[in-house]
Amino acid sequence: MKKFISFVYAFLFFSGILMSQSPVPGGDVYGTWTAGGSPYLIEGDITVPVDSTLIIEPGVSVAFQDHYIFHVNGRLLAQGTETDSIFFYCEHSAGHRGIKMMNVPEETDSSIFTYCRFQDANCTGTWPENCGGGIGLLDFSKVRIEHCLFIDNQAWTGSQAAGGALAFGGFNGIIRNNSFIGNSSFNGGAIICWQNSSPLISHNYFYDNHATIQGGAIHIVISCHPQIINNVFINNRANKYGGALCLFENSSPEIWYNLFYNNLALEDGGALEMYGACNPKIINNTIVFNHANLHGGGIDISNESCPILINNILWENSSPDGSQVYNWYNNCVPDFYYNDIQFGKDSIGGFMPQGEWKANADVYPEFEDTTSANFYLTEFSPCIDAGVDTLYDPDGTRSDMGAYYFDQTVGIAEALNPPDHHELYCLPNPTTTEVVIINTLPGTGSLDARLYVFDMTGNKVDELPVNHEPVKYNATHLPPGMYLLRLQTGNRIATGKMV
């Protein structure tokens, strides 16, 4: 009898799911899409009209049934939560064409995307609709994109196609705490930042994005001045220039506190390329183990570009000419202050820089564990308090070199193994199949790094080794319910929840 009741319950439960599908024909959309009506099956090109708002609730899946596009000329609020995300994807092999916000009146209220997953985009058509696989923005800045996952999106077709995940021009909004994984395009594998855009791009994770020309992760072009702060760039690649970042035509961003690790350019600029009067401020970055097949294993400087480099660590980058930096012309006048540069001036190819060269070091930084991509400084590092004396670390001491300062407010034992707690989150959430667990905890490539899954009674239901890549976890064997995630390496811990 109990088995029969369970069977009836299961049948009604899954029947309810099937009955809750909501077909959405092509045309105007507005109002509210609820979790109860999910999934929403997009059966044509749709548009949020001017002066209208569409609210997408947590837990909604937006399933494009073919190669359709989602225009937003009004306002879109897609606000998921850490445990109840929103999923944009396509059920057809052609992929969807993304969300495009290109005719939004200036007086329109802000659109917000939080805890959303964008997948399976394949931009086509004419410019600018063929840019930005997940989201394309043009001349509208009141947009905030936070805690979202952009995975396996692309923009390849048509003239000027760019920005596998995001494309924007004339945009000064916020892009924060997102993950960009496996996106691709001609220029800007993950992001194209174009023409007079100065957004905040902070605390994002860029992994395995690919550009066939320039900017494996981000291409910044034509008078753009974004703030690029506290991001992680790992394993991105460009077939020509700028394995992680490419700056072009009078673009001068602020580049602070970023990790550039193991990025690749098949020609120039393993981590960073700049061309055409670009004058960025490059401050407190860790630029390590990047490679260029021709020039500038770490940084390539060309065509009247005059960057300022302060407090950076450039180490174990490689290239046939200019292992750490290549300087193409004598009209490129970079300044170097208080950097730790492996092999010093001998690591700079091309023209010897004619700018300032002050208090730069050539001494091993004493990273905690390079084999596990843990580039925190140990207590023995010569980079501690070795930065410029006009900048200070959060602990109030003189600035350290590199992206990760050594906290001197704790004891030595704690400093060696700080009880560092980080956020761990996964998308989609809830899930019934595979979930991508986003991990930016340093040092998780070591052999002792483990991911633990607990049920709400505290019982451990899974344990698996982890490296610095995002974790794809198959949850099909778990009964429905809430689960706690714990990622640990040494005393560093990241925690999260999964439904």
Side-chain angles (χ1 to χ4, degrees):
M1 182 65 177
K2 289 182 179 180
K3 289 183 178 180
F4 176 77
I5 293 173
S6 298
F7 172 80
V8 171
Y9 175 80
F11 175 81
L12 292 174
F13 176 76
F14 286 108
S15 296
I17 290 177
L18 293 174
M19 291 173 63
S20 70
Q21 293 180 345
S22 301
V24 180
D28 291 346
V29 293
Y30 48 85
T32 301
W33 290 357
T34 66
S38 181
Y40 287 80
L41 309 180
I42 310 304
E43 299 177 341
D45 295 343
I46 57 175
T47 301
V48 178
V50 173
D51 296 329
S52 298
T53 298
L54 173 65
I55 298 171
I56 303 179
E57 291 187 343
V60 167
S61 291
V62 180
F64 294 84
Q65 301 301 292
D66 209 326
H67 197 50
Y68 300 127
I69 195 167
F70 189 168
H71 286 288
V72 177
N73 300 332
R75 189 183 190 202
L76 178 57
L77 298 175
Q79 295 174 272
T81 66
E82 182 180 354
T83 57
D84 214 2
S85 55
I86 296 169
F87 191 12
F88 296 88
Y89 65 102
C90 187
E91 295 187 335
H92 192 279
S93 60
H96 63 89
R97 291 160 60 199
I99 295 172
K100 301 295 184 284
M101 304 180 68
M102 297 176 175
N103 296 289
V104 184
E106 185 177 351
E107 64 273 13
T108 304
D109 286 338
S110 297
S111 287
I112 300 173
F113 301 88
T114 58
Y115 291 102
C116 296
R117 174 172 175 168
F118 297 87
Q119 188 168 344
D120 306 325
N122 180 16
C123 280
T124 61
T126 59
W127 187 92
E129 287 188 352
N130 61 346
C131 298
I135 303 174
L137 299 158
L138 188 62
D139 297 327
F140 184 68
S141 292
K142 289 185 283 186
V143 177
R144 176 161 54 90
I145 303 169
E146 294 187 294
H147 295 288
C148 292
L149 169 63
F150 296 83
I151 184 167
D152 296 334
N153 303 289
Q154 55 184 317
W156 289 105
T157 307
S159 176
Q160 298 179 297
L166 287 180
F168 44 79
F171 171 71
N172 302 317
I174 295 173
I175 302 168
R176 183 167 53 198
N177 290 308
N178 305 287
S179 293
F180 298 86
I181 302 168
N183 304 286
S184 59
S185 187
F186 290 109
N187 296 307
I191 296 177
I192 178 75
C193 178
W194 177 78
Q195 201 164 43
N196 302 311
S197 292
S198 299
L200 172 64
I201 302 175
S202 74
H203 295 84
N204 301 287
Y205 180 67
F206 296 88
Y207 178 83
D208 195 32
N209 301 287
H210 175 219
T212 57
I213 302 178
Q214 50 204 355
I218 306 177
H219 185 40
I220 301 168
V221 57
I222 309 179
S223 302
C224 292
H225 313 294
Q227 294 177 288
I228 302 174
I229 301 173
N230 284 114
N231 302 282
V232 174
F233 298 88
I234 299 177
N235 286 18
N236 303 285
R237 65 197 186 281
N239 286 12
K240 288 193 174 182
Y241 315 120
L245 296 183
C246 183
L247 317 181
F248 194 68
E249 293 187 18
N250 300 292
S251 294
S252 301
E254 302 262 346
I255 303 173
W256 292 62
Y257 303 113
N258 302 281
L259 170 65
F260 297 88
Y261 168 65
N262 204 39
N263 300 286
L264 170 66
L266 297 188
E267 292 192 14
D268 303 330
L272 174 60
E273 167 76 21
M274 62 194 77
Y275 178 92
C278 295
N279 306 315
K281 294 180 180 177
I282 304 172
I283 302 174
N284 274 106
N285 299 279
T286 298
I287 304 171
V288 289
F289 293 93
N290 304 284
H291 178 76
N293 282 359
L294 295 181
H295 306 95
I299 299 175
D300 189 64
I301 304 170
S302 181
N303 198 276
E304 299 184 334
S305 294
C306 302
I308 298 174
L309 293 95
I310 302 172
N311 290 3
N312 302 285
I313 298 175
L314 288 99
W315 208 264
E316 292 291 351
N317 301 292
S318 58
S319 179
D321 203 346
S323 59
Q324 309 306 316
V325 179
Y326 191 88
N327 195 53
W328 276 86
Y329 307 110
N330 60 8
N331 62 12
C332 299
V333 188
D335 294 321
F336 293 81
Y337 301 98
Y338 296 86
N339 302 280
D340 189 13
I341 304 177
Q342 188 179 26
F343 308 126
K345 287 187 176 181
D346 290 340
S347 72
I348 300 177
F351 282 84
M352 186 53 58
Q354 302 301 305
E356 292 286 336
W357 181 275
K358 180 179 179 181
N360 297 291
D362 172 16
V363 57
Y364 181 66
E366 295 290 347
F367 295 122
E368 282 201 359
D369 186 0
T370 59
T371 61
S372 64
N374 184 347
F375 297 103
Y376 277 83
L377 304 175
T378 72
E379 64 169 327
F380 309 107
S381 174
C383 296
I384 297 171
D385 292 341
V388 65
D389 58 6
T390 56
L391 292 176
Y392 296 89
D393 289 330
D395 62 4
T397 62
R398 177 173 171 165
S399 61
D400 300 342
M401 295 173 174
Y404 305 117
Y405 83 100
F406 182 86
D407 190 347
Q408 299 180 57
T409 62
V410 298
I412 291 177
E414 291 178 296
L416 286 172
N417 293 291
D420 210 356
H421 285 259
H422 295 247
E423 180 183 15
L424 186 70
Y425 65 99
C426 51
L427 291 169
N429 201 7
T431 182
T432 57
T433 55
E434 183 180 76
V435 63
V436 176
I437 299 172
I438 306 304
N439 159 38
T440 59
L441 183 65
T444 51
S446 58
L447 295 177
D448 66 337
R450 311 291 292 179
L451 175 69
Y452 302 94
V453 182
F454 299 92
D455 63 22
M456 294 306 292
T457 66
N459 293 318
K460 183 174 71 175
V461 297
D462 249 333
E463 175 183 342
L464 60 155
V466 177
N467 55 30
H468 61 260
E469 301 178 18
V471 179
K472 292 184 177 180
Y473 176 68
N474 191 324
T476 55
H477 63 291
L478 298 179
M482 175 83 76
Y483 292 85
L484 303 179
L485 306 174
R486 178 187 177 95
L487 176 64
Q488 183 167 352
T489 176
N491 279 2
R492 289 201 173 95
I493 296 170
T495 58
K497 296 177 181 178
M498 176 179 69
V499 180

